[in-house]
Amino acid sequence: MEKVQPKKGLGQHFLKDKDIAEKISATLSGQGYSSVLEIGPGMGILTGFLLDRDFPDFKVIEIDKESVHYMKSHFPNLDKIIEGDFLKLDLDSCFEGRMAITGNFPYNISTQIFFRVLQHRDKVVEVTGMLQKEVAERICAPPGSKTYGILSVLLQAYYTTEYLFTVGGEVFVPPPKVKSGVIRLIRNDVDHLECNEKLFTSVVKSCFNQRRKTLRNSVRAAFELTSDSYPDFGLRPEQLSVEKFVRLTNWIEQNMVRSK
Ligand code: SAH
């Protein structure tokens, strides 16, 4: 069968370097789960190496019909090819117990993939994979760094994140405009944050949506408060660790009339 022609709009950048594919497949620890889902196998360069790892339950999900067809004819021993959109997949009904997610992700939806991981954080105990370097760095950035943002705080609240290595554009067809980064996230032992978790998310989002403002200004713009004195109010959001956001959330909850 002919190769799949890359389509715009589906984030299709096929990896052509087998050594890198093998290196990415080796980023899964294999510990704490028996199910693995690969998002966007394309023409299966990673899939071949993932199959070699013999996970008890291994599935792939691919949105592009042409790729699905290609995968079916080239990987006859892979019987679990889900045709569809990962963002709409019901993970609970597809996978029993704990699972890992991996892939050379479609970059156009990489942020949404990670927000979905967050929604299923008690099921998805590990994520490894490749995405655009900028987002990879953001996910792993420590407080105080320029790229630290919403995804860093929300993911680092529940996962240990690690930036593994950088990949240049020349190993893809077609080459993406940006460099790529490979990362690993492992679920930490935090069941629940010690605050109202819904409010935590909205506090983190309101603060970073106005990144250059001090916390005082962003918090006051988002919530009606009975007090104006909080020790960290002079700081900017990128200076706050997860713990400090938890503390801020608790303070807001105690001093809030309502959210605006
Ligand atoms: N893993 C392959 C392909 C990476 S390109 C390789 O390394 O060569 C990203 C792949 O994700 C493409 O095959 C694309 O069709 C697929 N894809 C894009 N959006 C998707 C979605 N929402 N759900 C599942 N797969 C998707």
Short mmCIF file of all heavy atoms in Angstrom, two decimals, residues 194-250:
data_model
loop_
_atom_site.label_atom_id
_atom_site.label_comp_id
_atom_site.label_asym_id
_atom_site.label_seq_id
_atom_site.Cartn_x
_atom_site.Cartn_y
_atom_site.Cartn_z
N GLU A 194 -5.07 20.06 48.82
CA GLU A 194 -5.69 20.49 50.08
C GLU A 194 -6.38 21.83 49.92
O GLU A 194 -6.05 22.82 50.59
CB GLU A 194 -4.64 20.50 51.19
CG GLU A 194 -4.26 19.07 51.50
CD GLU A 194 -3.25 18.93 52.61
OE1 GLU A 194 -2.94 19.94 53.28
OE2 GLU A 194 -2.79 17.80 52.80
N CYS A 195 -7.29 21.86 48.99
CA CYS A 195 -8.09 23.05 48.74
C CYS A 195 -9.24 22.62 47.83
O CYS A 195 -9.29 21.49 47.38
CB CYS A 195 -7.27 24.15 48.05
SG CYS A 195 -6.70 23.71 46.41
N ASN A 196 -10.14 23.56 47.56
CA ASN A 196 -11.22 23.32 46.61
C ASN A 196 -10.58 23.24 45.20
O ASN A 196 -10.09 24.24 44.67
CB ASN A 196 -12.19 24.50 46.73
CG ASN A 196 -13.29 24.46 45.70
OD1 ASN A 196 -13.15 23.86 44.64
ND2 ASN A 196 -14.38 25.11 46.04
N GLU A 197 -10.58 22.04 44.61
CA GLU A 197 -9.81 21.85 43.38
C GLU A 197 -10.39 22.61 42.18
O GLU A 197 -9.66 23.03 41.29
CB GLU A 197 -9.70 20.36 43.05
CG GLU A 197 -8.80 19.64 44.06
CD GLU A 197 -8.67 18.16 43.79
OE1 GLU A 197 -9.70 17.49 43.70
OE2 GLU A 197 -7.54 17.68 43.68
N LYS A 198 -11.71 22.77 42.17
CA LYS A 198 -12.32 23.51 41.07
C LYS A 198 -11.92 24.98 41.13
O LYS A 198 -11.57 25.61 40.13
CB LYS A 198 -13.85 23.40 41.17
CG LYS A 198 -14.47 22.74 39.97
CD LYS A 198 -15.96 22.68 40.09
CE LYS A 198 -16.59 23.62 39.08
NZ LYS A 198 -18.06 23.59 39.17
N LEU A 199 -11.95 25.50 42.36
CA LEU A 199 -11.54 26.89 42.55
C LEU A 199 -10.06 27.06 42.22
O LEU A 199 -9.65 28.06 41.61
CB LEU A 199 -11.85 27.33 44.00
CG LEU A 199 -11.60 28.80 44.33
CD1 LEU A 199 -12.45 29.72 43.47
CD2 LEU A 199 -11.85 29.08 45.82
N PHE A 200 -9.23 26.09 42.61
CA PHE A 200 -7.79 26.11 42.31
C PHE A 200 -7.57 26.32 40.80
O PHE A 200 -6.82 27.21 40.40
CB PHE A 200 -7.18 24.77 42.77
CG PHE A 200 -5.74 24.56 42.39
CD1 PHE A 200 -4.71 25.12 43.16
CD2 PHE A 200 -5.38 23.78 41.29
CE1 PHE A 200 -3.37 24.89 42.82
CE2 PHE A 200 -4.05 23.56 40.95
CZ PHE A 200 -3.05 24.12 41.72
N THR A 201 -8.28 25.51 39.99
CA THR A 201 -8.13 25.64 38.55
C THR A 201 -8.52 27.02 38.07
O THR A 201 -7.82 27.64 37.26
CB THR A 201 -9.00 24.57 37.83
OG1 THR A 201 -8.62 23.30 38.33
CG2 THR A 201 -8.81 24.59 36.34
N SER A 202 -9.60 27.54 38.62
CA SER A 202 -10.02 28.85 38.12
C SER A 202 -9.10 29.96 38.64
O SER A 202 -8.86 30.95 37.94
CB SER A 202 -11.51 29.09 38.38
OG SER A 202 -11.71 29.73 39.60
N VAL A 203 -8.52 29.79 39.82
CA VAL A 203 -7.55 30.78 40.31
C VAL A 203 -6.30 30.77 39.42
O VAL A 203 -5.83 31.82 38.98
CB VAL A 203 -7.15 30.46 41.79
CG1 VAL A 203 -5.95 31.30 42.23
CG2 VAL A 203 -8.33 30.69 42.73
N VAL A 204 -5.79 29.58 39.13
CA VAL A 204 -4.58 29.48 38.30
C VAL A 204 -4.84 30.11 36.93
O VAL A 204 -4.04 30.92 36.43
CB VAL A 204 -4.14 27.99 38.14
CG1 VAL A 204 -3.02 27.86 37.13
CG2 VAL A 204 -3.71 27.42 39.49
N LYS A 205 -6.00 29.79 36.35
CA LYS A 205 -6.31 30.35 35.02
C LYS A 205 -6.45 31.87 35.08
O LYS A 205 -5.92 32.58 34.22
CB LYS A 205 -7.58 29.72 34.46
CG LYS A 205 -7.35 28.30 33.99
CD LYS A 205 -8.60 27.71 33.35
CE LYS A 205 -8.32 26.31 32.81
NZ LYS A 205 -9.53 25.60 32.38
N SER A 206 -7.17 32.39 36.08
CA SER A 206 -7.34 33.85 36.12
C SER A 206 -6.01 34.55 36.31
O SER A 206 -5.80 35.63 35.77
CB SER A 206 -8.28 34.34 37.23
OG SER A 206 -9.10 33.37 37.71
N CYS A 207 -5.12 33.96 37.12
CA CYS A 207 -3.84 34.64 37.35
C CYS A 207 -2.97 34.65 36.09
O CYS A 207 -2.38 35.67 35.76
CB CYS A 207 -3.08 33.99 38.50
SG CYS A 207 -3.88 34.24 40.09
N PHE A 208 -2.89 33.52 35.39
CA PHE A 208 -2.03 33.48 34.21
C PHE A 208 -2.64 34.15 32.99
O PHE A 208 -1.92 34.52 32.06
CB PHE A 208 -1.63 32.04 33.87
CG PHE A 208 -0.50 31.54 34.73
CD1 PHE A 208 -0.74 30.64 35.74
CD2 PHE A 208 0.80 31.99 34.52
CE1 PHE A 208 0.31 30.17 36.54
CE2 PHE A 208 1.85 31.54 35.31
CZ PHE A 208 1.59 30.62 36.32
N ASN A 209 -3.95 34.32 32.98
CA ASN A 209 -4.53 35.04 31.86
C ASN A 209 -4.10 36.50 31.85
O ASN A 209 -4.21 37.18 30.85
CB ASN A 209 -6.06 34.92 31.87
CG ASN A 209 -6.46 33.55 31.34
OD1 ASN A 209 -5.69 32.91 30.62
ND2 ASN A 209 -7.65 33.10 31.71
N GLN A 210 -3.62 36.95 32.99
CA GLN A 210 -3.08 38.31 33.06
C GLN A 210 -1.68 38.20 33.63
O GLN A 210 -1.38 38.72 34.70
CB GLN A 210 -3.94 39.16 33.98
CG GLN A 210 -5.40 38.92 33.75
CD GLN A 210 -6.18 40.20 33.93
OE1 GLN A 210 -5.69 41.31 33.69
NE2 GLN A 210 -7.39 40.03 34.40
N ARG A 211 -0.85 37.53 32.89
CA ARG A 211 0.47 37.13 33.34
C ARG A 211 1.35 38.26 33.88
O ARG A 211 2.13 38.08 34.80
CB ARG A 211 1.14 36.56 32.09
CG ARG A 211 1.95 35.41 32.26
CD ARG A 211 2.75 35.06 31.05
NE ARG A 211 3.99 34.52 31.58
CZ ARG A 211 4.13 33.25 31.92
NH1 ARG A 211 3.16 32.40 31.75
NH2 ARG A 211 5.26 32.84 32.44
N ARG A 212 1.21 39.42 33.28
CA ARG A 212 2.11 40.50 33.66
C ARG A 212 1.60 41.29 34.87
O ARG A 212 2.31 42.10 35.43
CB ARG A 212 2.39 41.42 32.48
CG ARG A 212 3.72 41.07 31.86
CD ARG A 212 3.96 41.66 30.51
NE ARG A 212 4.15 40.60 29.54
CZ ARG A 212 3.28 40.27 28.60
NH1 ARG A 212 2.16 40.94 28.47
NH2 ARG A 212 3.54 39.27 27.77
N LYS A 213 0.37 41.03 35.24
CA LYS A 213 -0.18 41.75 36.39
C LYS A 213 0.22 41.07 37.70
O LYS A 213 0.50 39.88 37.72
CB LYS A 213 -1.70 41.80 36.29
CG LYS A 213 -2.18 42.64 35.14
CD LYS A 213 -3.61 43.05 35.36
CE LYS A 213 -4.02 44.03 34.27
NZ LYS A 213 -5.46 44.20 34.24
N THR A 214 0.17 41.83 38.76
CA THR A 214 0.42 41.20 40.06
C THR A 214 -0.80 40.37 40.43
O THR A 214 -1.90 40.55 39.90
CB THR A 214 0.61 42.26 41.16
OG1 THR A 214 -0.59 43.04 41.22
CG2 THR A 214 1.81 43.14 40.89
N LEU A 215 -0.60 39.46 41.37
CA LEU A 215 -1.71 38.61 41.80
C LEU A 215 -2.86 39.46 42.34
O LEU A 215 -4.03 39.16 42.12
CB LEU A 215 -1.25 37.64 42.88
CG LEU A 215 -0.24 36.59 42.41
CD1 LEU A 215 0.22 35.75 43.58
CD2 LEU A 215 -0.82 35.70 41.33
N ARG A 216 -2.52 40.54 43.02
CA ARG A 216 -3.59 41.39 43.59
C ARG A 216 -4.56 41.82 42.49
O ARG A 216 -5.77 41.66 42.62
CB ARG A 216 -2.99 42.63 44.27
CG ARG A 216 -4.06 43.67 44.67
CD ARG A 216 -3.53 44.86 45.43
NE ARG A 216 -3.16 44.52 46.79
CZ ARG A 216 -1.93 44.37 47.24
NH1 ARG A 216 -0.90 44.51 46.42
NH2 ARG A 216 -1.70 44.06 48.49
N ASN A 217 -4.00 42.33 41.38
CA ASN A 217 -4.87 42.82 40.31
C ASN A 217 -5.68 41.71 39.66
O ASN A 217 -6.87 41.86 39.42
CB ASN A 217 -4.04 43.54 39.25
CG ASN A 217 -3.59 44.89 39.75
OD1 ASN A 217 -4.25 45.49 40.61
ND2 ASN A 217 -2.47 45.37 39.26
N SER A 218 -5.03 40.58 39.38
CA SER A 218 -5.76 39.50 38.69
C SER A 218 -6.81 38.90 39.59
O SER A 218 -7.92 38.60 39.15
CB SER A 218 -4.83 38.39 38.26
OG SER A 218 -3.65 38.90 37.76
N VAL A 219 -6.46 38.70 40.84
CA VAL A 219 -7.42 38.07 41.76
C VAL A 219 -8.61 39.00 41.99
O VAL A 219 -9.77 38.57 41.99
CB VAL A 219 -6.71 37.69 43.09
CG1 VAL A 219 -7.71 37.32 44.16
CG2 VAL A 219 -5.74 36.54 42.85
N ARG A 220 -8.32 40.29 42.13
CA ARG A 220 -9.43 41.23 42.35
C ARG A 220 -10.31 41.38 41.12
O ARG A 220 -11.50 41.67 41.23
CB ARG A 220 -8.89 42.58 42.82
CG ARG A 220 -8.53 42.52 44.29
CD ARG A 220 -7.81 43.75 44.75
NE ARG A 220 -8.50 44.98 44.42
CZ ARG A 220 -7.99 46.18 44.64
NH1 ARG A 220 -6.80 46.31 45.18
NH2 ARG A 220 -8.66 47.25 44.33
N ALA A 221 -9.70 41.17 39.94
CA ALA A 221 -10.52 41.26 38.73
C ALA A 221 -11.45 40.06 38.61
O ALA A 221 -12.52 40.14 38.01
CB ALA A 221 -9.61 41.34 37.50
N ALA A 222 -11.06 38.93 39.20
CA ALA A 222 -11.84 37.70 39.01
C ALA A 222 -12.78 37.39 40.17
O ALA A 222 -13.77 36.68 39.99
CB ALA A 222 -10.89 36.53 38.79
N PHE A 223 -12.46 37.86 41.36
CA PHE A 223 -13.26 37.51 42.53
C PHE A 223 -13.59 38.76 43.34
O PHE A 223 -12.78 39.67 43.46
CB PHE A 223 -12.49 36.53 43.44
CG PHE A 223 -12.02 35.30 42.73
CD1 PHE A 223 -10.73 35.22 42.23
CD2 PHE A 223 -12.87 34.22 42.54
CE1 PHE A 223 -10.29 34.08 41.56
CE2 PHE A 223 -12.44 33.08 41.88
CZ PHE A 223 -11.15 33.02 41.38
N GLU A 224 -14.81 38.74 43.90
CA GLU A 224 -15.16 39.84 44.81
C GLU A 224 -14.74 39.43 46.22
O GLU A 224 -15.20 38.41 46.73
CB GLU A 224 -16.66 40.08 44.75
CG GLU A 224 -17.05 41.40 45.36
CD GLU A 224 -18.52 41.69 45.12
OE1 GLU A 224 -19.01 41.49 43.98
OE2 GLU A 224 -19.18 42.08 46.09
N LEU A 225 -13.86 40.22 46.80
CA LEU A 225 -13.22 39.81 48.06
C LEU A 225 -13.54 40.75 49.20
O LEU A 225 -13.78 41.94 48.98
CB LEU A 225 -11.70 39.78 47.85
CG LEU A 225 -11.19 38.79 46.80
CD1 LEU A 225 -9.75 39.12 46.43
CD2 LEU A 225 -11.31 37.36 47.30
N THR A 226 -13.48 40.22 50.41
CA THR A 226 -13.71 41.07 51.58
C THR A 226 -12.39 41.58 52.16
O THR A 226 -12.39 42.39 53.07
CB THR A 226 -14.45 40.28 52.68
OG1 THR A 226 -13.71 39.07 52.92
CG2 THR A 226 -15.86 39.93 52.25
N SER A 227 -11.27 41.09 51.67
CA SER A 227 -9.98 41.54 52.19
C SER A 227 -9.02 41.79 51.04
O SER A 227 -9.15 41.22 49.96
CB SER A 227 -9.40 40.47 53.11
OG SER A 227 -8.01 40.69 53.28
N ASP A 228 -8.04 42.66 51.29
CA ASP A 228 -7.10 43.01 50.24
C ASP A 228 -5.67 42.69 50.65
O ASP A 228 -4.72 43.06 50.00
CB ASP A 228 -7.25 44.50 49.95
CG ASP A 228 -6.49 44.89 48.69
OD1 ASP A 228 -6.38 44.04 47.79
OD2 ASP A 228 -6.01 46.03 48.64
N SER A 229 -5.55 42.00 51.80
CA SER A 229 -4.17 41.80 52.26
C SER A 229 -3.82 40.32 52.28
O SER A 229 -4.26 39.56 53.13
CB SER A 229 -3.99 42.39 53.66
OG SER A 229 -4.96 41.84 54.51
N TYR A 230 -3.06 39.96 51.28
CA TYR A 230 -2.55 38.60 51.21
C TYR A 230 -1.06 38.71 50.95
O TYR A 230 -0.62 39.48 50.09
CB TYR A 230 -3.25 37.83 50.07
CG TYR A 230 -2.83 36.39 50.01
CD1 TYR A 230 -3.22 35.49 51.00
CD2 TYR A 230 -2.00 35.93 48.99
CE1 TYR A 230 -2.81 34.17 50.97
CE2 TYR A 230 -1.58 34.60 48.96
CZ TYR A 230 -1.99 33.73 49.95
OH TYR A 230 -1.57 32.43 49.92
N PRO A 231 -0.25 37.98 51.72
CA PRO A 231 1.21 38.18 51.65
C PRO A 231 1.80 38.09 50.23
O PRO A 231 2.73 38.84 49.92
CB PRO A 231 1.77 37.06 52.53
CG PRO A 231 0.63 36.44 53.26
CD PRO A 231 -0.64 37.01 52.74
N ASP A 232 1.27 37.21 49.38
CA ASP A 232 1.87 37.04 48.05
C ASP A 232 1.29 37.98 47.00
O ASP A 232 1.62 37.86 45.81
CB ASP A 232 1.68 35.60 47.54
CG ASP A 232 2.51 34.60 48.32
OD1 ASP A 232 3.50 35.02 48.95
OD2 ASP A 232 2.16 33.40 48.33
N PHE A 233 0.43 38.90 47.40
CA PHE A 233 -0.29 39.72 46.42
C PHE A 233 0.61 40.57 45.53
O PHE A 233 0.20 40.97 44.44
CB PHE A 233 -1.33 40.61 47.12
CG PHE A 233 -2.73 40.06 47.02
CD1 PHE A 233 -3.79 40.73 47.63
CD2 PHE A 233 -2.99 38.91 46.30
CE1 PHE A 233 -5.10 40.23 47.52
CE2 PHE A 233 -4.28 38.41 46.20
CZ PHE A 233 -5.33 39.08 46.81
N GLY A 234 1.81 40.86 45.98
CA GLY A 234 2.71 41.67 45.15
C GLY A 234 3.45 40.85 44.09
O GLY A 234 4.13 41.40 43.25
N LEU A 235 3.29 39.53 44.14
CA LEU A 235 4.02 38.68 43.20
C LEU A 235 3.27 38.53 41.89
O LEU A 235 2.10 38.86 41.78
CB LEU A 235 4.23 37.29 43.81
CG LEU A 235 4.99 37.21 45.14
CD1 LEU A 235 5.08 35.77 45.61
CD2 LEU A 235 6.38 37.82 45.01
N ARG A 236 3.98 37.98 40.89
CA ARG A 236 3.36 37.63 39.62
C ARG A 236 3.14 36.11 39.59
O ARG A 236 3.84 35.37 40.29
CB ARG A 236 4.24 38.07 38.47
CG ARG A 236 4.16 39.55 38.26
CD ARG A 236 5.13 40.05 37.23
NE ARG A 236 5.69 41.34 37.65
CZ ARG A 236 5.03 42.48 37.64
NH1 ARG A 236 3.79 42.52 37.21
NH2 ARG A 236 5.58 43.60 38.04
N PRO A 237 2.18 35.64 38.77
CA PRO A 237 1.81 34.22 38.86
C PRO A 237 2.97 33.25 38.63
O PRO A 237 3.02 32.19 39.24
CB PRO A 237 0.74 34.06 37.76
CG PRO A 237 0.86 35.25 36.90
CD PRO A 237 1.37 36.35 37.77
N GLU A 238 3.92 33.64 37.75
CA GLU A 238 5.00 32.67 37.45
C GLU A 238 5.92 32.44 38.65
O GLU A 238 6.75 31.55 38.63
CB GLU A 238 5.79 33.07 36.20
CG GLU A 238 6.55 34.35 36.29
CD GLU A 238 5.74 35.51 35.71
OE1 GLU A 238 4.50 35.45 35.70
OE2 GLU A 238 6.38 36.47 35.27
N GLN A 239 5.76 33.25 39.70
CA GLN A 239 6.61 33.05 40.88
C GLN A 239 6.01 32.07 41.88
O GLN A 239 6.62 31.75 42.90
CB GLN A 239 6.85 34.40 41.57
CG GLN A 239 7.61 35.38 40.68
CD GLN A 239 7.65 36.77 41.28
OE1 GLN A 239 6.72 37.56 41.16
NE2 GLN A 239 8.73 37.06 41.99
N LEU A 240 4.77 31.61 41.62
CA LEU A 240 4.07 30.79 42.62
C LEU A 240 4.16 29.29 42.33
O LEU A 240 3.80 28.84 41.26
CB LEU A 240 2.58 31.19 42.67
CG LEU A 240 2.16 31.99 43.90
CD1 LEU A 240 2.94 33.28 43.97
CD2 LEU A 240 0.67 32.25 43.90
N SER A 241 4.63 28.57 43.33
CA SER A 241 4.66 27.10 43.23
C SER A 241 3.24 26.56 43.37
O SER A 241 2.32 27.30 43.74
CB SER A 241 5.52 26.54 44.36
OG SER A 241 4.91 26.89 45.59
N VAL A 242 3.07 25.27 43.11
CA VAL A 242 1.76 24.63 43.30
C VAL A 242 1.27 24.86 44.73
O VAL A 242 0.12 25.27 44.96
CB VAL A 242 1.87 23.11 43.01
CG1 VAL A 242 0.59 22.40 43.43
CG2 VAL A 242 2.17 22.86 41.54
N GLU A 243 2.15 24.65 45.71
CA GLU A 243 1.76 24.81 47.12
C GLU A 243 1.25 26.22 47.38
O GLU A 243 0.30 26.43 48.12
CB GLU A 243 2.94 24.51 48.06
CG GLU A 243 3.38 23.06 48.09
CD GLU A 243 4.05 22.60 46.79
OE1 GLU A 243 4.70 23.44 46.11
OE2 GLU A 243 3.88 21.41 46.43
N LYS A 244 1.94 27.21 46.80
CA LYS A 244 1.50 28.60 47.04
C LYS A 244 0.17 28.89 46.36
O LYS A 244 -0.63 29.69 46.87
CB LYS A 244 2.58 29.58 46.58
CG LYS A 244 3.75 29.58 47.56
CD LYS A 244 4.68 30.72 47.31
CE LYS A 244 5.65 30.81 48.49
NZ LYS A 244 6.65 31.85 48.28
N PHE A 245 -0.09 28.26 45.23
CA PHE A 245 -1.41 28.42 44.60
C PHE A 245 -2.49 27.76 45.46
O PHE A 245 -3.62 28.26 45.54
CB PHE A 245 -1.42 27.85 43.17
CG PHE A 245 -1.08 28.86 42.11
CD1 PHE A 245 0.10 28.76 41.39
CD2 PHE A 245 -1.94 29.94 41.84
CE1 PHE A 245 0.42 29.70 40.42
CE2 PHE A 245 -1.63 30.88 40.87
CZ PHE A 245 -0.43 30.76 40.16
N VAL A 246 -2.15 26.64 46.10
CA VAL A 246 -3.11 25.98 46.99
C VAL A 246 -3.45 26.92 48.16
O VAL A 246 -4.61 27.13 48.50
CB VAL A 246 -2.53 24.64 47.53
CG1 VAL A 246 -3.37 24.09 48.67
CG2 VAL A 246 -2.42 23.62 46.39
N ARG A 247 -2.40 27.52 48.72
CA ARG A 247 -2.62 28.44 49.84
C ARG A 247 -3.46 29.64 49.41
O ARG A 247 -4.39 30.06 50.09
CB ARG A 247 -1.26 28.91 50.36
CG ARG A 247 -1.22 28.94 51.88
CD ARG A 247 0.14 29.40 52.39
NE ARG A 247 1.21 28.48 52.04
CZ ARG A 247 2.49 28.84 51.92
NH1 ARG A 247 2.86 30.10 52.09
NH2 ARG A 247 3.41 27.96 51.63
N LEU A 248 -3.14 30.19 48.24
CA LEU A 248 -3.90 31.33 47.72
C LEU A 248 -5.37 30.95 47.52
O LEU A 248 -6.28 31.72 47.84
CB LEU A 248 -3.27 31.81 46.41
CG LEU A 248 -4.01 32.91 45.63
CD1 LEU A 248 -4.11 34.20 46.47
CD2 LEU A 248 -3.30 33.23 44.30
N THR A 249 -5.59 29.74 46.98
CA THR A 249 -6.96 29.28 46.74
C THR A 249 -7.74 29.22 48.06
O THR A 249 -8.90 29.66 48.13
CB THR A 249 -6.95 27.88 46.08
OG1 THR A 249 -6.20 27.96 44.88
CG2 THR A 249 -8.35 27.39 45.79
N ASN A 250 -7.11 28.67 49.08
CA ASN A 250 -7.79 28.59 50.38
C ASN A 250 -8.11 29.98 50.94
O ASN A 250 -9.18 30.22 51.48
CB ASN A 250 -6.94 27.80 51.39
CG ASN A 250 -7.03 26.31 51.11
OD1 ASN A 250 -8.08 25.80 50.70
ND2 ASN A 250 -5.93 25.60 51.29
#
